[in-house]
């Protein structure tokens, strides 16, 4: 009989265009050899041109999904994506405590604070941002904001290495074990430099910047690749380095789809297999 793979849970919204959200998470889990499970938080109406609307899932259904898989199938690592409202965020945080997922347990927890659109505009109201700061971040093993989300969460606008470090220090104040300040949105920089820290260890991960606008789902894909590595037992620096290598290849292999921004692609992993 085939042995069971490691498991990862995504707590996130659905992307009807298939490029981001739980769709990106599940295909990344699969590409990294991890069994993916879902707690759906919202259904979005979106395509390559952007989000036209969404409907959140009732809170008891969100938390019920988490409890159902955690108490039966087990969760080796978990991540969040779009959580939509402060009410959902608060309920998810309490449920994670109940099922022993988070930084003070044996199950790593990655928070990808999906708070900004592709154009940098806020997707969440201030009360939801505050719930991310006070409820999710203290429970997180790792948080993975992009630069627009850094600005919304801390007020720090990253323009270079010194402000990237300032942002990381500000984010650590919210209580996560590790912070990854991603540099992909710093268009003026020649390379994409991500900064990882727990306040003691500081690691810069530099990678190439590709000439493509097809980066939809990049943040979700990187966070779920990191989560996959954590589920398989990697420590945080190793998991982040593996996630960085994975997303670089996904961006390099991204493809146009629709009239707007196409998705990053994990299909290269199938070709290699």
């Amino acid at each position: 009989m085939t042995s069971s793979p490691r498991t990862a849970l995504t707590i996130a919204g659905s992307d009807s265009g298939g490029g981001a959200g739980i769709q990106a998470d599940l295909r990344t889990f699969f590409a990294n050899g991890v069994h993916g499970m879902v707690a759906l938080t919202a259904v979005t109406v979106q395509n390559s041109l952007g989000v036209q609307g969404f409907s959140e899932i009732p809170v008891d259904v969100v938390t019920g999904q988490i409890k159902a898989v955690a108490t039966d199938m087990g969760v080796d690592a978990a991540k969040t994506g779009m959580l939509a409202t402060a009410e959902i965020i608060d309920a998810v945080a309490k449920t994670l405590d109940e099922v022993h997922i988070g930084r003070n347990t044996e199950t790593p927890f990655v928070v990808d604070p999906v708070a900004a659109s592709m154009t940098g505009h806020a997707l969440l109201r201030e009360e939801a941002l505050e719930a991310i700061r006070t409820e999710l971040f203290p429970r997180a093993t790792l948080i993975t904001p992009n630069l627009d989300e850094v600005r919304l969460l801390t007020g720090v606008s990253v323009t270079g290495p010194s402000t990237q470090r300032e942002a990381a220090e500000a984010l650590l104040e919210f209580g996560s074990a590790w912070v990854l300040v991603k540099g992909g949105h710093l268009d003026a920089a020649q390379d994409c430099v991500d900064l990882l820290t727990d306040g003691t260890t500081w690691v810069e991960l530099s990678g190439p910047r590709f000439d493509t606008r097809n980066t939809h789902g990049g943040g979700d894909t990187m966070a779920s690749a990191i989560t996959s590595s954590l589920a398989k037992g990697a420590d945080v620096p190793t998991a982040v380095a593996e996630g960085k290598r994975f997303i670089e290849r996904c961006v390099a292999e991204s493809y146009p789809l629709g009239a707007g921004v196409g998705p990053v692609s994990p299909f290269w992993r199938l070709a290699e297999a």
Side-chain angles (χ1 to χ4, degrees):
M1 183 175 66
T2 302
S3 61
S4 300
R6 306 292 280 181
T7 62
L9 170 65
T10 173
I11 308 166
S14 170
D15 173 2
S16 55
I22 62 165
Q23 287 80 2
D25 293 337
L26 288 175
R27 66 183 189 173
T28 302
F29 291 159
F30 174 80
N32 285 280
V34 172
H35 177 84
M37 304 173 296
V38 170
L40 186 65
T41 61
V43 176
T44 70
V45 179
Q46 66 174 295
N47 54 26
S48 68
L49 299 173
V51 179
Q52 285 99 52
F54 73 91
S55 294
E56 63 259 30
I57 303 299
V59 171
D60 62 327
V61 177
V62 176
T63 58
Q65 293 172 87
I66 298 170
K67 293 175 185 177
V69 299
T71 57
D72 174 48
M73 302 161 78
V75 179
D76 292 313
K79 72 171 289 288
T80 61
M82 178 187 181
L83 295 180
T85 67
E87 184 181 14
I88 290 175
I89 294 166
D90 290 339
V92 165
K94 292 179 175 62
T95 303
L96 292 174
D97 290 345
E98 291 180 33
V99 298
H100 308 295
I101 294 172
R103 64 169 297 186
N104 294 321
T105 75
E106 295 182 357
T107 305
F109 175 46
V110 177
V111 175
D112 183 21
V114 179
S117 69
M118 288 185 292
T119 58
H121 294 104
L123 293 175
L124 299 176
R125 294 180 177 176
E126 177 53 39
E127 61 266 24
L129 288 172
E130 183 61 15
I132 288 175
R133 297 183 191 102
T134 60
E135 298 298 328
L136 283 189
F137 283 176
R139 292 171 166 85
T141 307
L142 170 71
I143 64 175
T144 63
N146 64 36
L147 298 188
D148 292 315
E149 289 155 352
V150 166
R151 174 177 48 80
L152 290 171
L153 290 161
T154 68
V156 178
S157 294
V158 175
T159 57
S162 62
T163 47
Q164 191 174 30
R165 186 180 178 109
E166 178 187 349
E169 291 171 339
L171 288 164
L172 280 171
E173 291 295 320
F174 297 128
S176 63
W178 291 83
V179 168
L180 179 68
V181 180
K182 298 179 296 188
H185 287 193
L186 194 59
D187 294 332
Q190 183 176 356
D191 296 322
C192 292
V193 179
D194 303 333
L195 180 63
L196 174 69
T197 184
D198 63 353
T200 301
T201 300
W202 295 81
V203 181
E204 286 190 354
L205 299 103
S206 182
R209 185 176 297 277
F210 297 99
D211 185 17
T212 178
R213 71 169 183 166
N214 299 316
T215 57
H216 186 50
D220 300 334
T221 297
M222 184 176 189
S224 50
I226 293 169
T227 303
S228 298
S229 293
L230 292 171
K232 292 186 285 187
D235 59 26
V236 171
T238 301
V240 170
E242 291 176 347
K244 176 80 168 175
R245 288 192 293 270
F246 185 83
I247 188 58
E248 285 175 0
R249 186 69 181 271
C250 290
V251 174
E253 301 288 339
S254 65
Y255 51 86
L257 190 65
V261 178
V264 301
S265 174
F267 291 152
W268 61 269
R269 183 58 64 84
L270 295 178
E272 284 193 349

